[in-house]
Amino acid sequence: MGDVLDELIKPLPPPADVAASTPTPELRVAILGRPNVGKSSLLNRLTNTERAIVCDLSGTTRDAIDQSVLNHGVK
């Protein structure tokens, strides 16, 4: 199996050096889960806002929401 994998990756470009790449100043997080488990409530709590609509009806929040959060003064 190892020989097969070696042959598969031959045409691919070499991996970029992770240490040489420019670090991103922010951490991006996605909140995923089943319907009605509290994803919108969690977002509202983490951001200390009421940005996401919270309701008992399944499918109330359908759009993706981007929200910035400060943690110890760091965005």
Side-chain angles (χ1 to χ4, degrees), residues 3-38:
D3 293 337
V4 173
L5 290 174
D6 288 340
E7 291 299 316
L8 284 174
I9 64 169
K10 274 185 183 177
L12 299 176
D17 185 15
V18 176
S21 65
T22 306
T24 333
E26 61 186 31
L27 173 67
R28 299 178 72 83
V29 177
I31 301 173
L32 305 172
R34 298 175 59 118
N36 286 8
V37 293

Side-chain angles (χ1 to χ4, degrees), residues 39-55 60-61 65-69:
K39 297 178 298 291
S40 295
S41 297
L42 177 62
L43 174 67
N44 287 343
R45 179 67 81 143
L46 290 173
T47 60
N48 211 16
T49 64
E50 290 188 21
R51 175 104 190 261
I53 299 169
V54 177
C55 182
T60 302
T61 307
I65 299 173
D66 289 342
Q67 180 69 43
S68 296
V69 178

